[in-house]
Each structure stands twice: as C-alpha cells, then as structure tokens.
Amino acid sequence: MLLFPALAALIASLGWATGAVLAQAPARALGAFEFTRIQLLACSAIMAAGCTGLGLWGSVAWGHWPAFAASIVIGILLGNLAMIECLRLGGPRRMELLLSLKAPVVGVMAFAWLGEVPSPPDLIGAALALCGVGLAILYGSNTRSDSDRTHGRMAFIVLLGLLATAFQGLGFLIVKPAMLDGTSPLAITAIRLLGAAFLISLVALWPSPAFRSHQPLTPALLARTILPGFIGYAVSSSLLLYAMSAMDAGIAAVLGSMSPVLVLPIIRIKEGVAPRLPALLGAGLAVAGSAVIALI
C-alpha cells in the first residue's frame, strides 16, 4: 500500500485541473510564449528561494546533470509550450483529455527504460481510472461552455496535446534515477524551472513578433498568470515527482492524470455547466481505480 505517494499524485491532479481553468484566459491574452516565460521566471525564483531556505541543494546528485538538462528542455520548455498553446486553442477539458494519455505513455517508457512492472491490482486500478477519465472527458458537459470553444484547427490542437503528453512524460521520468539517489523532488523542480527560465529568456531576446505579448501586461494580468503557474509548476510537479520516486512511474502517472475528472466540478462552479451522467459515472470509475491503487 502506497497511500501517501498516491495521495500526492491525486493532489497534483487537482492542482493541474485548477490551474488549467485559471490559466486559459491569461494564456489567450498573452500568447503561449509570453505566458510561459512569465510563469517560469516567477516560479523559478519562488522555488529557488524555497530550496535555499530549506537547505535542499545539498541533496542534489549532480552526477545526473544530463538528465536534468534533458528534463528542462524536453519536459518543461517544449512540453509546456505545447501544452499552453493546446490550452489556449482547445480549452481546458480538451487539453486534459489529451494529457491523460501521459499515463500509458509513461508506463511504456518506465517498462522499457527502468524495467518497472506494475502489480495486477495496480494494473486493474489503472485501467479503471483511465476508463473513468475517458468517460469524464468525452461526456463532460450538457452544453458547450465558454472555456470549451476551439480557436483553430482541431488536428493542430490534437498534435499539440500529443506532443505535450510525450514531452512532459519523458521530462518527469528521466529524473527518477536522480531521486532514487536521494535528490529532493523540490530541488529537482527548482533546477528544472531555473534552467527552463534561463533558456526561454534567451529565446525571448530574438526580435520576433511570435515571442511578444498579445496584450499589454497589467498587474492584474500578471497575478492571474503567476498563480496557475505556481500551482502547476511548483506544487503539482513536485508532488508528482515525489509520487514517481516512491511508486511505479506509470501508476503515479495514472493518478496524476485525474485532472480531467477533477476539472468538471471546477468548471461547474465557475460557469454553471453541469456534467452529464456518463461523466459522473466516469468520475466514479476514476475514484474507484485510484482507491484500488492506493489501498491494495
């Protein structure tokens, strides 16, 4: 039984679901690149200060620096740019559907690279959870909500979501050996954010309109940009890294993919759009699958 790592992954899902709903409006206002740049700069500073205050830098196994570098470029920079653009064009519910594929992707990677083989109860729980996520997404609401409208070609939105899924999954998985050698998940989160903030700041020096904000940045818009970034980059990512370090990475990814279910009540509260009965059944399956993984 791995109750605490499982709970950490589920709380990470809740954080990503909340962040996705909060992030859509400022992401559309600023554009994917500028939105991501502001979030990375702010969150890297917060996490670096936190790790310094807690004395976590001494836990870092610096011999794994190639994995850190790959996780920064692939997992954060490329993965999150693709995710934010998918969110901006496709909405939070559609984005979460595509990101829920992270679970099987990470499971296959963990089996091929780390030799992790989940137990039969874990596989049963993962199957229930994934089925529940699928139902919750496909039958998310009775009417099309404002946040569910698409802006662009569906094929491009799907491609962005699939790229974000693969990049983020690999970015998390590749640093697991460093955590097994004693590196704190919070320290890894700080390293990933600092590296990504540095790289995206270099890219921003290129004088291209694609790297500029779509609207003027106001204090209110800045706050609305940083808040979901802190929830997602700092809190949820650290929790999922901890879960991956303490249990099978593929199973942790399943529990970290519950945000499509959890986003439904958040949208219900925010926009008054009620989920359909199949979506509620899907949520029940997801909860049942999560319970099997956490308690057996």
Side-chain angles (χ1 to χ4, degrees), residues 187-267:
I188 287 184
T189 298
I191 290 170
R192 295 172 80 229
L193 289 173
L194 285 168
F198 174 73
L199 290 178
I200 202 169
S201 296
L202 288 180
V203 174
L205 296 175
W206 185 266
S208 171
F211 301 150
R212 299 295 171 256
S213 174
H214 294 177
Q215 294 184 16
L217 183 64
T218 64
L221 183 55
L222 178 64
R224 291 165 59 205
T225 300
I226 293 175
L227 177 58
F230 179 75
I231 294 171
Y233 286 120
V235 179
S236 293
S237 293
S238 297
L239 288 171
L240 185 59
L241 284 170
Y242 162 69
M244 284 189 170
S245 71
M247 62 193 302
D248 287 339
I251 301 304
V254 171
L255 297 176
S257 299
M258 293 295 104
S259 46
V261 174
L262 299 174
V263 80
L264 295 176
I266 296 172
I267 292 178

Side-chain angles (χ1 to χ4, degrees), residues 121-150:
D122 284 344
L123 288 174
I124 293 171
L128 287 173
L130 285 175
C131 289
V133 167
L135 282 173
I137 284 294
L138 293 174
Y139 302 98
S141 64
N142 288 314
T143 59
R144 184 177 295 272
S145 66
D146 289 339
S147 63
D148 208 33
R149 292 175 182 153
T150 59

